[in-house]
Amino acid sequence: MNKVKITTTDLFLAILAVLLISVSFYQTWLGLQQIFGGSSMIIALVLSLMLLFLLWQLRVAKTRGNSTTALSWIYFFFASFCFIANFNALYTRFMRTDIYTTELRDINDKFSNLETNVESKLNYSVADAKTRQAIRSELNLLKIQITDPKNIGIGPEAKQIIGRIEKLIGKKVTPLTPISQNPAGYEDLADRMEEQIVQMVYNLTPEEKNLMSDINNATLKWNKDIQALLLKSSQDIDDMAQGQIDKALTEYNKLGNKAKSILGDDKLKFEIAHANTQEVGKIGFAFNHAITNFGIYQFVVLMGCILLDFGIMIIILLVPTDNRGNQHNSNSVFNTKRSGKTLIPKN
């Protein structure tokens, strides 16, 4: 009669294997959805069952004292698929918000750089670049102040800003009046004040003037919208960021092409910008982003994936066993102990 003995070590390893492979199964399912869609659950289940079977075989071979090299390589082969999918799922989950946040801030920089680059190619009456940048900053504040519902129009705060602009330009600015006493009228007032001041700073053609106005307005608009989005929760950023990124880059590319057309290829070099975040959730993007931005978070995710898929195999290979060659009297849960007969000599 065969008896199966389950040792404490066997029980512990079995529970640990099931727990780790269960987590790996779920993450593999999520990580493979990009490639296999609805079939990813079945593929993840097959891979997980295969890993559990190979772990059992490894334990049997280790207990009996047999070679585990071939089984280890087979396990490594199947576990590699799970590792890749796990890394994609975990990295995307932990780093999605950070990736979107970085992209949004880069877009802000793109608009600012485009604004500065185009301004540097125009004719201007204010020679110093830092002074022109200071005027632009003050002008943005002026537009915000004029349209502020709490103090709409050219009030005390707006007059202070105009005073600072006059000192920078060295000329007097004419305060204008709104065409109507409603929000649209004050937005028009802000645009006309901007046009007046820009004309005092630059010697622009009508096309150049419209171009600068469009770029300045877009820079101001997206700076406000992006900053407002970055103040929201991580979930809101994840849900809304891609739409904002696509819209912002569409406008950025449109303005860049317009500037290139007006100023000429010889004066302005412009390259179309693409949203890297379109690839978020894809395996290639996860590994590429992790390698490019490798740090503590990437290291933690990497170690976590190694633990999920390879940790239990390493433990099984390192845990000592009571090997007794090919005899079947080991205490392993996977082996049996055969009862034998005792010969009693006759007296």
Side-chain angles (χ1 to χ4, degrees):
M1 181 178 178
N2 294 335
K3 294 182 180 180
V4 177
K5 283 194 174 183
I6 300 177
T7 67
T8 303
T9 301
D10 293 328
L11 184 61
F12 171 78
L13 291 175
I15 294 174
L16 185 60
V18 170
L19 290 176
L20 290 176
I21 299 302
S22 296
V23 176
S24 177
F25 157 70
Y26 179 68
Q27 297 301 327
T28 301
W29 176 12
L30 296 179
L32 291 178
Q33 284 182 338
Q34 168 226 334
I35 300 176
F36 299 104
S39 302
S40 60
M41 183 185 75
I42 302 301
I43 296 173
L45 181 61
V46 171
L47 287 172
S48 299
L49 292 175
M50 182 64 70
L51 294 186
L52 285 174
F53 173 75
L54 290 170
L55 289 173
W56 171 49
Q57 291 294 318
L58 278 170
R59 179 62 180 168
V60 170
K62 185 74 166 33
T63 303
R64 292 177 177 175
N66 298 333
S67 174
T68 58
T69 303
L71 286 170
S72 297
W73 278 110
I74 296 172
Y75 181 92
F76 181 84
F77 174 77
F78 285 102
S80 296
F81 291 97
C82 294
F83 171 79
I84 293 171
N86 287 341
F87 188 88
N88 180 41
L90 290 172
Y91 189 79
T92 300
R93 177 180 299 176
F94 285 107
M95 298 299 295
R96 182 186 295 271
T97 303
D98 183 72
I99 292 168
Y100 282 137
T101 300
T102 301
E103 183 79 3
L104 288 167
R105 290 187 175 130
D106 286 344
I107 290 174
N108 259 344
D109 293 338
K110 281 183 171 66
F111 274 103
S112 297
N113 292 336
L114 178 63
E115 183 180 46
T116 302
N117 195 18
V118 171
E119 283 187 352
S120 68
K121 302 300 188 296
L122 300 174
N123 297 320
Y124 38 81
S125 56
V126 178
D128 184 63
K130 291 184 178 180
T131 302
R132 293 196 306 274
Q133 186 61 41
I135 293 171
R136 171 48 56 190
S137 298
E138 295 288 357
L139 185 52
N140 288 338
L141 290 175
L142 178 62
K143 293 182 67 178
I144 294 173
Q145 186 61 59
I146 290 175
T147 56
D148 185 2
K150 297 180 180 178
N151 192 12
I152 201 164
I154 301 181
E157 291 82 2
K159 289 179 181 178
Q160 291 179 6
I161 297 172
I162 291 173
R164 295 198 295 268
I165 292 174
E166 289 175 338
K167 289 182 180 180
L168 292 169
I169 298 177
K171 299 178 183 178
K172 295 293 292 182
V173 175
T174 303
L176 305 177
T177 56
I179 57 175
S180 60
Q181 303 296 319
N182 56 46
Y186 286 104
E187 288 178 5
D188 174 75
L189 172 62
D191 291 338
R192 287 188 288 119
M193 288 296 296
E194 177 188 34
E195 182 180 355
Q196 177 190 180
I197 294 169
V198 167
Q199 193 61 40
M200 296 171 68
V201 176
Y202 300 94
N203 298 317
L204 304 178
T205 66
E207 284 185 331
E208 291 173 339
K209 183 169 64 175
N210 291 334
L211 172 64
M212 280 305 304
S213 178
D214 290 344
I215 292 176
N216 296 148
N217 289 337
T219 301
L220 180 61
K221 171 184 178 296
W222 284 111
N223 182 269
K224 290 172 60 178
D225 290 352
I226 288 174
Q227 291 303 322
L229 177 57
L230 293 178
L231 293 176
K232 295 181 180 293
S233 66
S234 296
Q235 186 61 52
D236 288 338
I237 293 175
D238 293 346
D239 293 339
M240 301 169 61
Q242 190 58 59
Q244 291 289 81
I245 289 170
D246 291 339
K247 291 178 182 178
L249 287 181
T250 297
E251 186 166 3
Y252 170 80
N253 290 329
K254 181 180 177 182
L255 290 172
N257 285 327
K258 182 178 179 181
K260 186 176 180 180
S261 175
I262 292 173
L263 299 176
D265 294 344
D266 56 329
K267 293 185 69 174
L268 181 68
K269 303 298 181 183
F270 177 77
E271 294 183 1
I272 296 294
H274 301 282
N276 295 324
T277 50
Q278 291 284 5
E279 302 295 313
V280 171
K282 296 183 178 180
I283 292 174
F285 179 85
F287 280 91
N288 181 65
H289 190 276
I291 294 171
T292 305
N293 304 276
F294 195 80
I296 184 63
Y297 294 109
Q298 288 77 8
F299 178 77
V300 170
V301 175
L302 178 64
M303 291 297 101
C305 293
I306 292 175
L307 173 64
L308 279 178
D309 298 309
F310 300 104
I312 185 63
M313 180 190 74
I314 296 172
I315 293 173
I316 288 175
L317 293 176
L318 294 180
V319 168
T321 57
D322 183 17
N323 293 330
R324 298 185 181 183
N326 293 324
Q327 297 180 13
H328 293 267
N329 56 355
S330 171
N331 289 331
S332 169
V333 66
F334 303 109
N335 293 317
T336 58
K337 182 176 181 181
R338 187 183 301 275
S339 59
K341 296 180 180 181
T342 304
L343 297 178
I344 302 176
K346 293 181 180 180
N347 293 330

